[in-house]
Structures are given as structure tokens and as C-alpha cells.
Amino acid sequence: MKKFLLGSVALIALSTAANAADLAARYTKAPVVAPVSNWTGFYVNGGFGYGLMSTDQHSTTGGVVSSLDTRMGGRGYFGTVGLGYDYQLTPAWVVGVFGDAQWGDIRGDLIDLNNNTSGRLKNDAAYSVGARLGYLVAPNVLSYVNAGYSYGQFKGSTFTDGSTIGKTHRDGWFIGGGVENDLNLLGIKAPGWFMKTEYRVTEYDRQNSDYAGPAAGTGIAFKPYVQTVSTSLVYRFNSHVTPGTDPGTPFYTKAARSPAYNWTGFYLAGGGGYGMFSADQHTVTGGINGIDTRSGGRGYFGTVAGGYDWQINPTWVVGIFGDAQFGDIRGSLADAALGITGRLKNDTNYAAGARLGYLISPNALSYVNVGYSHAEFKGVAFNDGTSIGKSHRDGWFVGGGVENDLNLLGIHAPGWFMKTEYRVAEYDRKTSDIVDAAGVSTGTGIAFKPYVQTVQTSLVYRFNWGSPVVAKY
């Protein structure tokens, strides 16, 4: 778990640095009469997001573990509201405290291998309090990390045999980060209004829930990990100023755009990231499908890529690319009716696609991408001695990210860039025959349809880059 959280923090740091640099590069410092803080004060926020859940779980008898651990999955949307107070310590640093709530439908499954039953698991609410530390990469752009306590609520479940478990509440802790900026962008002027995008990962404690009904006397224990990405509008009660115009506010004014930068040319990239999958799966016997359940997985990967971009005008860039991911995004396949579970591993993904980017500054590109993806999943050995072979899946992906040069914080590296990218891929559903130890078909198969979501940060080398830096910050 420590590696999981440390890796997540590294991704957060790289992502927020990239986004902050993109925004900061658009500005040059305006004259400051007297540095007056407008980050100190109360704020409220509201927005929405998407969450993933990975749950390590096992059956129990008398509160004692009585089955193999199985990793189930979940996914869904939520709404969020929050409030907080920030205090600007210096012209560059901000500290704050906050509380927020999420209500939604992050839905997955639990499987009981002892009682051959399954049930739906739903994380419908989470309440969090914490603190954040932020750095003003520009006076109206805050890059921050946060951490704190979280209280998760999981609805009761009804299993396929009629057994039930009640609603559970979990204590946990979270760590995350994000970027917040005012809305004086792209011609929009809205004093007091800000926008923030935030990544957060929460680990809850493991608890055992005893059954009521047919399986009374036994139970199921599960430990959830919930990962969310959200975007919110923020209203700051003390921020009724116009950046760059109101006296005494240390904001930036926009720098003139230069047409000298040339994004046309080849590039290579390499980096790493973190991924999760959620797979909808069921058994197939004689052409009849079993009950659908949702399994899950998580892990790290490395990535290499190459591509070619064309700058079609001073603000727009189009390109084509190909990349590969090699790693260990590992979860489970399990079937309650057969009482089997086995480890499922997504070890390789290949993708080819196109991207469309907008130059938010001459040396910073914000882009979306889409294309074809091919995934490989290793064979699965089940706990009863049966197995399925390696499988290959075709699919498509959609994503986006930010790429900027490395002329940051005193680092000057012509040709070198950094990009942080989010991507989600949907693959086709296939059925794999379950064979016995001798390789003979059992007459039953297991079909699964994976969704793989990744966040990655890469170093990029552009062979044609050599333009000077225009905006200083």
C-alpha cells in the first residue's frame, strides 16, 4: 500500500506541476503597489467527478478468514460540495483547512467463495476533512497537495442466495492534489469565481460484516480503495478583484503571444504511470450466461512513445502517435457459482491515435486524443486447478493531457518537455474456455470486458525544438 500511495503522490506532483506551468507561462508580472493577499478567506465549492473502487475481500467463518483474497472492482459518478478557509502565509505560499462531501454511485461487487454467492457493493457517500499546502505558481494560480481523514459509507448488499449484510461505515485517510485558478481566462471575467481540478486516493479500513439470512454464521470482510477525479467551481468571498487591474493585487497580466515557436516535428517520450481496471465478467455454460459481476485491479507501468505533430497555425496543433505500456495492473477473475478465483494481470497495452491540441501559451500544449488500443492479459490459474489462457483484446481509448517545455524553476533544457496524461480504454468482451489440469475443456468459459484507466507522466524530446522562451515568470 505504501508503494501505491507514494506512486500516487508522485503522479499528483508531476501532474500539478505540469498544469501549473501551463497556466503560469501565459503571464508576465504586473507592477505591484502593495502586495495584498486575496487568497486569505473563506470559500465554498461544488462540482462533480468520477471514481474508481478496488476492494480486497474474502469470506469469513466466525470472523476468521476462510477463503482466498479476491480483488473486486467498481466505478461510477458523484457530486461534491465543500467549504474551507485559506491563509496566505507569503506572496508564494498558502495553507488551508477544508471539509467536503461526495454523494454518488460508485458501484461494484462482492463475491463469497464459501457460500457461492455474490452481491452488489455501492459507495454512495464520503465525508472528508483535511488540510492543504499550496504554492502560487502565479498569483491567481494555486498548485496544492492535501491530506486528511475520510469517512466512507457503503450501502447494504443483498446476495444471490438471499443473504444480506447491512450498511457499513469506514474510517480512512486520503492524500491528493490539484490546481485552482481564477476564471479570468479566455475572455471570461468573473470576480470571486475560481475553478479547481483535483485527484484524490482514499484507503479505508477492513471490516467484517456478518450475514443475516441463509448464510447466517458466516460473513464477508472487505477493504476498499477509492480513487476520484473531480472538477469544481469555487466562490471566494474575499476575492472581488480583477487580476492585473485592481491596485495592490500581485496578479499577472497576459504576455503577448509569439508565433516563433515551432511544434512541427518528431518526438520521443518515456515515463511511467498508475492504472486501474474494472472488468464486467460472467461464466458461460452451454451458451447460457451466469450472473454479471465486476472485478477490479490496480498497478504500475512504464511507457514509451513516439509521434509527429503539425502546428497548423499559431494556436492549434494536430498530431499522430503510437505508444506502449508494460507493467503490472493486477486484479482478479472470480465466479461465485463455481467457487473459483484467480489472478488477472494486464501486462501490456499498445495504442495508436491522433491528438488535437491548443497552445495555451507558446510553449504549453493542452490536448485531447483518441484512437485504437490493443491489450494483453496473462492467463489465469484458478484455485481449483483449472485455468484459462492468455487473451488479446481490441479496443479504443479517449484521453487528454498537458505538455510543456522544461524551462521551469531555473531548469533550462532546450528540446525537453514533460507531459501528464489521463486515458480510459474500453476493450471488447471475449469468452475464454476454462480447462482442467490436463488442458481439456471443462465445457464452461468465462467472459470479461475490461475498462482500463491510466494516469502517466513522461519526459518528451522534440528533435526540432530550439525557440527561445518568450514569457518570463
Side-chain angles (χ1 to χ4, degrees):
M1 181 57 197
K2 184 181 292 183
K3 291 182 179 178
F4 168 63
L5 290 174
L6 289 175
S8 299
V9 174
L11 287 173
I12 293 165
L14 289 170
S15 176
T16 55
N19 283 294
D22 299 333
L23 293 167
R26 302 181 65 194
Y27 298 86
T28 56
K29 286 186 177 178
V32 177
V33 177
V36 176
S37 167
N38 74 314
W39 285 87
T40 296
F42 290 95
Y43 64 86
V44 294
N45 65 273
F48 64 94
Y50 186 72
L52 299 173
M53 178 170 60
S54 180
T55 306
D56 294 341
Q57 56 104 89
H58 54 247
S59 309
T60 62
T61 301
V64 178
V65 176
S66 57
S67 74
L68 297 173
D69 238 16
T70 300
R71 183 169 290 172
M72 303 306 290
R75 58 182 184 271
Y77 297 92
F78 61 88
T80 181
V81 295
L83 57 85
Y85 182 87
D86 284 333
Y87 182 77
Q88 188 166 355
L89 292 172
T90 70
W93 293 95
V94 175
V95 296
V97 293
F98 65 91
D100 57 42
Q102 298 175 353
W103 296 282
D105 187 15
I106 302 177
R107 184 175 298 189
D109 287 279
L110 294 173
I111 280 184
D112 185 334
L113 298 176
N114 285 349
N115 295 298
N116 302 104
T117 186
S118 64
R120 186 68 75 188
L121 176 67
K122 180 180 176 181
N123 175 212
D124 60 348
Y127 306 93
S128 301
V129 292
R132 70 175 182 173
L133 173 65
Y135 178 75
L136 287 166
V137 294
N140 60 336
V141 180
L142 182 71
S143 178
Y144 66 89
V145 294
N146 57 16
Y149 166 81
S150 187
Y151 177 83
Q153 180 173 292
F154 296 82
K155 292 195 72 172
S157 299
T158 300
F159 289 78
T160 50
D161 66 350
S163 301
T164 61
I165 60 172
K167 178 186 288 189
T168 64
H169 305 273
R170 308 294 173 103
D171 295 312
W173 64 283
F174 71 87
I175 189 168
V179 174
E180 182 176 338
N181 58 271
D182 73 344
L183 285 180
N184 191 41
L185 303 172
L186 301 175
I188 300 173
K189 295 184 179 180
W193 289 96
F194 286 66
M195 179 178 69
K196 69 173 179 178
T197 297
E198 180 176 307
Y199 169 89
R200 190 181 294 182
V201 59
T202 306
E203 175 187 353
Y204 293 105
D205 54 11
R206 186 191 294 268
Q207 292 181 16
N208 183 67
S209 297
D210 290 328
Y211 290 122
T218 61
I220 193 162
F222 61 95
K223 180 180 178 65
Y225 302 83
V226 180
Q227 178 179 256
T228 59
V229 178
S230 62
T231 296
S232 298
L233 281 177
V234 182
Y235 184 76
R236 294 185 163 273
F237 294 97
N238 66 317
S239 298
H240 299 284
V241 294
T242 303
T245 59
D246 287 8
T249 56
F251 281 89
Y252 285 74
T253 56
K254 290 183 180 180
R257 184 178 295 275
S258 167
Y261 284 90
N262 180 20
W263 284 78
T264 298
F266 290 97
Y267 63 87
L268 295 175
Y274 183 76
M276 298 186 73
F277 74 75
S278 181
D280 295 340
Q281 53 102 67
H282 57 245
T283 54
V284 181
T285 304
I288 299 175
N289 295 340
I291 296 174
D292 240 10
T293 53
R294 186 166 284 172
S295 61
R298 57 183 184 270
Y300 298 92
F301 62 88
T303 180
V304 294
Y308 187 88
D309 285 330
W310 293 268
Q311 185 169 353
I312 56 179
N313 63 38
T315 57
W316 292 96
V317 175
V318 296
I320 55 175
F321 66 92
D323 59 40
Q325 298 174 352
F326 309 96
D328 187 16
I329 304 177
R330 185 176 296 188
S332 299
L333 280 182
D335 184 76
L338 298 177
I340 61 172
T341 183
R343 189 63 74 189
L344 177 65
K345 179 180 176 182
N346 173 214
D347 57 351
T348 311
N349 297 299
Y350 304 98
R355 69 175 182 173
L356 173 65
Y358 176 77
L359 288 166
I360 55 178
S361 74
N363 59 338
L365 182 72
S366 178
Y367 65 89
V368 294
N369 56 18
V370 66
Y372 164 81
S373 188
H374 175 84
E376 294 185 356
F377 292 82
K378 294 194 74 172
V380 178
F382 293 103
N383 58 306
D384 65 350
T386 60
S387 63
I388 62 173
K390 185 174 186 177
S391 63
H392 306 271
R393 307 297 172 103
D394 295 313
W396 62 279
F397 72 86
V398 63
V402 176
E403 182 176 339
N404 56 271
D405 73 350
L406 283 180
N407 192 45
L408 305 172
L409 302 176
I411 300 172
H412 183 64
W416 288 97
F417 284 65
M418 178 176 72
K419 70 174 179 178
T420 299
E421 180 176 310
Y422 170 86
R423 189 181 295 181
V424 58
E426 176 184 350
Y427 296 101
D428 53 11
R429 185 191 295 269
K430 288 184 178 180
T431 300
S432 299
D433 285 335
I434 300 176
V435 299
D436 61 21
V440 178
S441 175
T442 62
T444 298
I446 192 162
F448 63 96
K449 179 181 178 65
Y451 301 81
V452 180
Q453 300 179 83
T454 58
V455 179
Q456 64 184 30
T457 296
S458 300
L459 282 176
V460 182
Y461 185 75
R462 293 186 162 273
F463 293 97
N464 68 317
W465 193 265
S467 302
V469 175
V470 175
K472 295 182 179 180
Y473 44 92

PDB file of all heavy atoms in Angstrom, residues 311-327:
ATOM      1  N   GLN A 311       2.011  21.986 -36.504  1.00  0.00           N
ATOM      2  CA  GLN A 311       1.418  23.219 -35.995  1.00  0.00           C
ATOM      3  C   GLN A 311       0.723  23.904 -37.160  1.00  0.00           C
ATOM      4  O   GLN A 311       1.357  24.486 -38.041  1.00  0.00           O
ATOM      5  CB  GLN A 311       2.478  24.135 -35.375  1.00  0.00           C
ATOM      6  CG  GLN A 311       1.869  25.366 -34.725  1.00  0.00           C
ATOM      7  CD  GLN A 311       2.861  26.140 -33.891  1.00  0.00           C
ATOM      8  OE1 GLN A 311       3.982  25.701 -33.687  1.00  0.00           O
ATOM      9  NE2 GLN A 311       2.445  27.307 -33.401  1.00  0.00           N
ATOM     10  N   ILE A 312      -0.608  23.839 -37.170  1.00  0.00           N
ATOM     11  CA  ILE A 312      -1.351  24.302 -38.340  1.00  0.00           C
ATOM     12  C   ILE A 312      -1.588  25.808 -38.319  1.00  0.00           C
ATOM     13  O   ILE A 312      -1.893  26.397 -39.351  1.00  0.00           O
ATOM     14  CB  ILE A 312      -2.680  23.546 -38.495  1.00  0.00           C
ATOM     15  CG1 ILE A 312      -3.526  23.673 -37.240  1.00  0.00           C
ATOM     16  CG2 ILE A 312      -2.415  22.082 -38.814  1.00  0.00           C
ATOM     17  CD1 ILE A 312      -4.873  22.964 -37.331  1.00  0.00           C
ATOM     18  N   ASN A 313      -1.470  26.452 -37.152  1.00  0.00           N
ATOM     19  CA  ASN A 313      -1.500  27.908 -37.035  1.00  0.00           C
ATOM     20  C   ASN A 313      -0.897  28.272 -35.682  1.00  0.00           C
ATOM     21  O   ASN A 313      -0.462  27.394 -34.944  1.00  0.00           O
ATOM     22  CB  ASN A 313      -2.930  28.465 -37.235  1.00  0.00           C
ATOM     23  CG  ASN A 313      -3.899  27.984 -36.179  1.00  0.00           C
ATOM     24  OD1 ASN A 313      -3.557  27.857 -35.013  1.00  0.00           O
ATOM     25  ND2 ASN A 313      -5.131  27.720 -36.589  1.00  0.00           N
ATOM     26  N   PRO A 314      -0.819  29.554 -35.317  1.00  0.00           N
ATOM     27  CA  PRO A 314      -0.149  29.904 -34.062  1.00  0.00           C
ATOM     28  C   PRO A 314      -0.758  29.293 -32.803  1.00  0.00           C
ATOM     29  O   PRO A 314      -0.100  29.266 -31.767  1.00  0.00           O
ATOM     30  CB  PRO A 314      -0.257  31.441 -34.028  1.00  0.00           C
ATOM     31  CG  PRO A 314      -0.304  31.838 -35.460  1.00  0.00           C
ATOM     32  CD  PRO A 314      -1.114  30.763 -36.130  1.00  0.00           C
ATOM     33  N   THR A 315      -1.983  28.796 -32.859  1.00  0.00           N
ATOM     34  CA  THR A 315      -2.614  28.291 -31.634  1.00  0.00           C
ATOM     35  C   THR A 315      -3.011  26.822 -31.685  1.00  0.00           C
ATOM     36  O   THR A 315      -3.298  26.243 -30.635  1.00  0.00           O
ATOM     37  CB  THR A 315      -3.878  29.109 -31.287  1.00  0.00           C
ATOM     38  OG1 THR A 315      -4.785  29.069 -32.388  1.00  0.00           O
ATOM     39  CG2 THR A 315      -3.510  30.546 -30.984  1.00  0.00           C
ATOM     40  N   TRP A 316      -3.039  26.178 -32.847  1.00  0.00           N
ATOM     41  CA  TRP A 316      -3.548  24.814 -32.941  1.00  0.00           C
ATOM     42  C   TRP A 316      -2.478  23.857 -33.458  1.00  0.00           C
ATOM     43  O   TRP A 316      -1.725  24.178 -34.379  1.00  0.00           O
ATOM     44  CB  TRP A 316      -4.778  24.749 -33.849  1.00  0.00           C
ATOM     45  CG  TRP A 316      -5.958  25.446 -33.261  1.00  0.00           C
ATOM     46  CD1 TRP A 316      -6.362  26.727 -33.502  1.00  0.00           C
ATOM     47  CD2 TRP A 316      -6.875  24.912 -32.313  1.00  0.00           C
ATOM     48  NE1 TRP A 316      -7.477  27.025 -32.766  1.00  0.00           N
ATOM     49  CE2 TRP A 316      -7.820  25.927 -32.031  1.00  0.00           C
ATOM     50  CE3 TRP A 316      -7.006  23.665 -31.680  1.00  0.00           C
ATOM     51  CZ2 TRP A 316      -8.876  25.740 -31.126  1.00  0.00           C
ATOM     52  CZ3 TRP A 316      -8.055  23.486 -30.772  1.00  0.00           C
ATOM     53  CH2 TRP A 316      -8.970  24.504 -30.508  1.00  0.00           C
ATOM     54  N   VAL A 317      -2.464  22.664 -32.869  1.00  0.00           N
ATOM     55  CA  VAL A 317      -1.523  21.612 -33.232  1.00  0.00           C
ATOM     56  C   VAL A 317      -2.292  20.309 -33.406  1.00  0.00           C
ATOM     57  O   VAL A 317      -3.177  19.971 -32.598  1.00  0.00           O
ATOM     58  CB  VAL A 317      -0.446  21.423 -32.136  1.00  0.00           C
ATOM     59  CG1 VAL A 317       0.466  20.237 -32.453  1.00  0.00           C
ATOM     60  CG2 VAL A 317       0.381  22.695 -31.980  1.00  0.00           C
ATOM     61  N   VAL A 318      -1.983  19.562 -34.476  1.00  0.00           N
ATOM     62  CA  VAL A 318      -2.540  18.222 -34.669  1.00  0.00           C
ATOM     63  C   VAL A 318      -1.364  17.248 -34.780  1.00  0.00           C
ATOM     64  O   VAL A 318      -0.262  17.626 -35.169  1.00  0.00           O
ATOM     65  CB  VAL A 318      -3.434  18.124 -35.919  1.00  0.00           C
ATOM     66  CG1 VAL A 318      -4.653  19.012 -35.775  1.00  0.00           C
ATOM     67  CG2 VAL A 318      -2.658  18.480 -37.182  1.00  0.00           C
ATOM     68  N   GLY A 319      -1.630  15.989 -34.417  1.00  0.00           N
ATOM     69  CA  GLY A 319      -0.546  15.024 -34.470  1.00  0.00           C
ATOM     70  C   GLY A 319      -1.029  13.596 -34.477  1.00  0.00           C
ATOM     71  O   GLY A 319      -2.198  13.302 -34.231  1.00  0.00           O
ATOM     72  N   ILE A 320      -0.105  12.686 -34.791  1.00  0.00           N
ATOM     73  CA  ILE A 320      -0.340  11.257 -34.713  1.00  0.00           C
ATOM     74  C   ILE A 320       0.754  10.660 -33.825  1.00  0.00           C
ATOM     75  O   ILE A 320       1.843  11.211 -33.701  1.00  0.00           O
ATOM     76  CB  ILE A 320      -0.328  10.596 -36.101  1.00  0.00           C
ATOM     77  CG1 ILE A 320       0.978  10.901 -36.835  1.00  0.00           C
ATOM     78  CG2 ILE A 320      -1.531  11.048 -36.924  1.00  0.00           C
ATOM     79  CD1 ILE A 320       1.123  10.174 -38.161  1.00  0.00           C
ATOM     80  N   PHE A 321       0.455   9.513 -33.202  1.00  0.00           N
ATOM     81  CA  PHE A 321       1.414   8.933 -32.273  1.00  0.00           C
ATOM     82  C   PHE A 321       1.132   7.444 -32.076  1.00  0.00           C
ATOM     83  O   PHE A 321       0.062   6.926 -32.422  1.00  0.00           O
ATOM     84  CB  PHE A 321       1.354   9.636 -30.915  1.00  0.00           C
ATOM     85  CG  PHE A 321       0.045   9.436 -30.189  1.00  0.00           C
ATOM     86  CD1 PHE A 321      -0.124   8.391 -29.301  1.00  0.00           C
ATOM     87  CD2 PHE A 321      -1.018  10.297 -30.418  1.00  0.00           C
ATOM     88  CE1 PHE A 321      -1.330   8.199 -28.644  1.00  0.00           C
ATOM     89  CE2 PHE A 321      -2.239  10.116 -29.763  1.00  0.00           C
ATOM     90  CZ  PHE A 321      -2.391   9.063 -28.877  1.00  0.00           C
ATOM     91  N   GLY A 322       2.105   6.770 -31.513  1.00  0.00           N
ATOM     92  CA  GLY A 322       1.956   5.395 -31.065  1.00  0.00           C
ATOM     93  C   GLY A 322       2.691   5.232 -29.752  1.00  0.00           C
ATOM     94  O   GLY A 322       3.694   5.895 -29.504  1.00  0.00           O
ATOM     95  N   ASP A 323       2.181   4.369 -28.866  1.00  0.00           N
ATOM     96  CA  ASP A 323       2.861   4.146 -27.601  1.00  0.00           C
ATOM     97  C   ASP A 323       2.606   2.743 -27.081  1.00  0.00           C
ATOM     98  O   ASP A 323       1.749   2.011 -27.598  1.00  0.00           O
ATOM     99  CB  ASP A 323       2.483   5.192 -26.552  1.00  0.00           C
ATOM    100  CG  ASP A 323       1.000   5.252 -26.247  1.00  0.00           C
ATOM    101  OD1 ASP A 323       0.364   4.201 -26.175  1.00  0.00           O
ATOM    102  OD2 ASP A 323       0.487   6.370 -26.052  1.00  0.00           O
ATOM    103  N   ALA A 324       3.388   2.358 -26.082  1.00  0.00           N
ATOM    104  CA  ALA A 324       3.256   1.042 -25.463  1.00  0.00           C
ATOM    105  C   ALA A 324       3.414   1.189 -23.959  1.00  0.00           C
ATOM    106  O   ALA A 324       4.197   2.015 -23.483  1.00  0.00           O
ATOM    107  CB  ALA A 324       4.300   0.081 -26.015  1.00  0.00           C
ATOM    108  N   GLN A 325       2.652   0.384 -23.210  1.00  0.00           N
ATOM    109  CA  GLN A 325       2.739   0.341 -21.755  1.00  0.00           C
ATOM    110  C   GLN A 325       3.083  -1.084 -21.333  1.00  0.00           C
ATOM    111  O   GLN A 325       2.465  -2.044 -21.801  1.00  0.00           O
ATOM    112  CB  GLN A 325       1.410   0.757 -21.118  1.00  0.00           C
ATOM    113  CG  GLN A 325       0.979   2.179 -21.440  1.00  0.00           C
ATOM    114  CD  GLN A 325      -0.412   2.501 -20.922  1.00  0.00           C
ATOM    115  OE1 GLN A 325      -1.133   1.620 -20.451  1.00  0.00           O
ATOM    116  NE2 GLN A 325      -0.802   3.764 -21.022  1.00  0.00           N
ATOM    117  N   PHE A 326       4.061  -1.217 -20.429  1.00  0.00           N
ATOM    118  CA  PHE A 326       4.468  -2.526 -19.922  1.00  0.00           C
ATOM    119  C   PHE A 326       4.445  -2.467 -18.400  1.00  0.00           C
ATOM    120  O   PHE A 326       5.123  -1.612 -17.808  1.00  0.00           O
ATOM    121  CB  PHE A 326       5.878  -2.880 -20.406  1.00  0.00           C
ATOM    122  CG  PHE A 326       6.075  -2.741 -21.882  1.00  0.00           C
ATOM    123  CD1 PHE A 326       6.616  -1.583 -22.423  1.00  0.00           C
ATOM    124  CD2 PHE A 326       5.695  -3.769 -22.744  1.00  0.00           C
ATOM    125  CE1 PHE A 326       6.798  -1.451 -23.784  1.00  0.00           C
ATOM    126  CE2 PHE A 326       5.869  -3.640 -24.111  1.00  0.00           C
ATOM    127  CZ  PHE A 326       6.416  -2.475 -24.635  1.00  0.00           C
ATOM    128  N   GLY A 327       3.670  -3.350 -17.759  1.00  0.00           N
ATOM    129  CA  GLY A 327       3.609  -3.242 -16.311  1.00  0.00           C
ATOM    130  C   GLY A 327       2.868  -4.359 -15.627  1.00  0.00           C
ATOM    131  O   GLY A 327       2.858  -5.513 -16.096  1.00  0.00           O
TER     132      GLY A 327
END
